[in-house]
Amino acid sequence: MAAVQAKSISCPNCGGAVELRGFAHSLSAVCPQCLTVLDASTPEVQILQTFQGKTRTQPTIPLGTRGKIGNTQYQVIGFQVRQVSSGDDSYSWDEYLLFNPYKGFRYLTEYNGHWNSVHVESALPDQTRSAGKLAVRYGDKTYIHFDSMTASTVYVLGEFPWRVRLGDSAACQDFVAPPSMLSSESTGGEITWSRAEYMTGSNVWQAFQLPGSPPPAYGVFANQPSPFGGSIGSSWRTWLWLNVALAALAFLFMVISPGRVAFSDHYVYSQGVKTDVAFANTEAFVTPTFQLDGRKSNVELSIHTDLNNNWVYFNFALINNQTGETFDFAREVSYYHDSDGSEGSRDNSVIVPSVPSGQYYLRVEPEMERGSPFVAYDLRLRRNVPNYGFFGVAALLLIIPPLVTTIRRGSFEAARWRESDYAPSQSSSNSGGGDDD
């Protein structure tokens, strides 16, 4: 395509040259020397408005700068500062008008280091509601109402495809579906809809080959995407599937390493009662010896009783019959019940870690309240029992990432909506979201 050349006009106010890059599209232009607003729609250039201000604003992206948005090269031809005032509070944002002679116009907006690429839409959205708020449906997205405001033009530079004037105002509404935002502007009964896509300062600097580094963004912008990934639901779904995998791994451990029974026997005990029955024992006693084979690993001693509204306390010692090495431990079993329910359990167990192989016996010393009825109990000792405590710890650790993500994302969204019309305090509404005319 052949390059399209810009033309110039002379400012009637100061005689300075005013370059027109938008060609026949430009209806008004601003003299860069005296900031007079000119009617550029006819050969007889007329003054629309003279500049009465005392300060000038320097655009971050100079007029005439070229850059690529997507695969299209645009040139910056216009710049305006728009302002929203609410009582004693006010804030403003910058708007850049971009032009390509074959693709037309689009806009860049900047507020507090947050940038948006904006395109005017020809279709109208459908009004709806979402999360109890006013919303609009456009394309495949639902945009939730963020804020409403009246924006005024307080500074202009360059040229525009409308007759721009300082003090021009428009009623604006912003609807967000991060990283997109849909905005409406109403002037004189005419409503224009535009769609914005969030950009970082780095994206803009790269697109326009600007020198240095972009200023840092601060605050949370209306359509700024959350830095904490996708939806909270996806992080919890990941957590769920990881727990399913962890449970499957625990089941596999249970199947391939169920634990070998090294010793098992049945006993009866009552405090202070002696009996000559072989299976009845009082006070301390020792079991027959048994073999613990294999590498050094844990052993589990399980206690199963027929307790009924009572307790029994056991002191145990696992003693190596050859070396005398001793492992001491104890367990209490208690079980009570009435018409309101039950408390405790008739069973208990203990795991002794890192027991070497060899011949062992158990020293058992039960204790109950004097006068208690007999209690029958079974002792069963298993070798190399899977320790599922590791899986419990792993499950607790797995919940940390989605929990932290949920909290941080919630804080981020709270900060976003504090700047909206739905903030707890309505003292200010800093969306910076008004887009183009």
Side-chain angles (χ1 to χ4, degrees):
M1 294 181 182
V4 182
Q5 301 296 320
K7 69 173 185 176
S8 295
I9 60 174
S10 296
C11 173
N13 186 50
C14 69
V18 181
E19 188 175 11
L20 297 181
R21 303 177 179 89
F23 315 109
H25 299 283
S26 297
L27 298 183
S28 61
V30 180
C31 174
Q33 286 79 31
C34 65
L35 300 183
T36 298
V37 182
L38 308 174
D39 183 351
S41 62
T42 63
E44 297 80 18
V45 179
Q46 298 180 0
I47 295 175
L48 295 177
Q49 191 178 46
T50 57
F51 181 67
Q52 303 298 324
K54 297 181 180 180
T55 59
R56 289 172 174 254
T57 300
Q58 186 65 33
T60 301
I61 308 176
L63 295 184
T65 303
R66 288 182 169 85
K68 271 194 172 182
I69 304 294
N71 295 320
T72 304
Q73 187 179 70
Y74 289 92
Q75 187 175 29
V76 179
I77 68 169
F79 171 77
Q80 63 177 333
V81 178
R82 307 186 71 189
Q83 180 175 283
V84 170
S85 298
S86 176
D88 296 331
D89 193 20
S90 65
Y91 65 94
S92 60
W93 68 92
D94 296 342
E95 236 175 62
Y96 297 84
L97 176 62
L98 312 181
F99 178 69
N100 176 286
Y102 307 102
K103 298 285 187 173
F105 297 95
R106 71 181 307 123
Y107 301 82
L108 273 180
T109 66
E110 185 273 330
Y111 175 76
N112 283 350
H114 301 276
W115 293 81
N116 271 278
S117 173
V118 185
H119 184 269
V120 175
E121 299 294 331
S122 56
L124 298 178
D126 297 319
Q127 186 169 321
T128 182
R129 295 192 70 83
S130 178
K133 300 182 181 71
L134 178 66
V136 291
R137 182 76 181 172
Y138 190 79
D140 59 351
K141 288 185 177 180
T142 297
Y143 298 77
I144 301 175
H145 181 251
F146 190 81
D147 59 9
S148 301
M149 72 201 84
T150 299
S152 301
T153 300
V154 296
Y155 189 85
V156 290
L157 196 62
E159 57 194 280
F160 302 88
W162 69 91
R163 288 182 172 83
V164 66
R165 291 177 183 269
L166 294 177
D168 285 349
S169 63
C172 307
Q173 285 188 307
D174 292 329
F175 299 81
V176 297
S180 302
M181 178 164 61
L182 201 65
S183 300
S184 71
E185 295 197 7
S186 177
T187 54
E190 180 182 350
I191 298 179
T192 302
W193 286 91
S194 59
R195 182 167 55 87
E197 293 294 328
Y198 187 86
M199 297 179 69
T200 64
S202 298
N203 297 147
V204 175
W205 254 243
Q206 183 177 2
F208 288 89
Q209 298 298 300
L210 299 176
S213 300
Y218 61 93
V220 177
F221 193 67
N223 65 325
Q224 180 181 354
S226 173
F228 306 111
S231 67
I232 294 174
S234 65
S235 63
W236 283 105
R237 282 191 294 272
T238 301
W239 169 82
L240 177 62
W241 283 113
L242 286 175
N243 272 273
V244 169
L246 189 65
L249 187 62
F251 179 76
L252 180 64
F253 267 70
M254 182 180 67
V255 171
I256 65 176
S257 182
R260 301 183 301 275
V261 176
F263 172 79
S264 180
D265 211 341
H266 177 80
Y267 301 94
V268 175
Y269 171 73
S270 181
Q271 178 73 26
V273 177
K274 296 183 181 292
T275 175
D276 57 2
V277 180
F279 58 82
N281 300 275
T282 61
E283 307 307 331
F285 69 95
V286 296
T287 68
T289 59
F290 49 86
Q291 183 69 31
L292 295 180
D293 296 321
R295 60 182 176 82
K296 180 186 288 189
S297 61
N298 65 20
V299 295
E300 179 192 58
L301 180 63
S302 301
I303 311 164
H304 304 278
T305 74
D306 64 353
L307 278 175
N308 187 34
N309 287 325
N310 209 339
W311 61 268
V312 59
Y313 186 83
F314 294 94
N315 278 304
F316 295 105
L318 178 63
I319 303 170
N320 190 305
N321 193 41
Q322 297 153 324
T323 66
E325 183 178 11
T326 302
F327 300 87
D328 293 303
F329 49 94
R331 276 296 181 269
E332 180 179 343
V333 184
S334 63
Y335 178 73
Y336 296 89
H337 66 91
D338 56 24
S339 58
D340 294 328
S342 62
E343 180 180 357
S345 173
R346 292 188 172 98
D347 307 322
N348 207 339
S349 65
V350 59
I351 291 180
V352 182
S354 302
V355 179
S357 60
Q359 281 196 339
Y360 287 83
Y361 61 89
L362 276 171
R363 183 179 184 275
V364 185
E365 186 177 359
E367 180 182 345
M368 292 180 69
E369 186 176 355
R370 182 170 293 275
S372 297
F374 285 93
V375 59
Y377 62 96
D378 295 312
L379 297 180
R380 185 178 66 167
L381 191 140
R382 292 192 300 160
R383 176 69 155 169
N384 194 25
V385 177
N387 187 352
Y388 298 105
F390 163 79
F391 295 100
V393 172
L396 287 176
L397 293 176
L398 285 175
I399 203 174
I400 294 176
L403 191 61
V404 170
T405 299
T406 299
I407 294 172
R408 297 181 70 181
R409 187 177 176 87
S411 298
F412 184 87
E413 292 302 320
R416 182 201 308 280
W417 288 94
R418 275 197 299 270
E419 304 299 325
S420 74
D421 288 350
Y422 304 92
S425 171
Q426 298 295 327
S427 58
S428 63
S429 175
N430 298 347
S431 80
D435 299 319
D436 51 282
D437 289 90

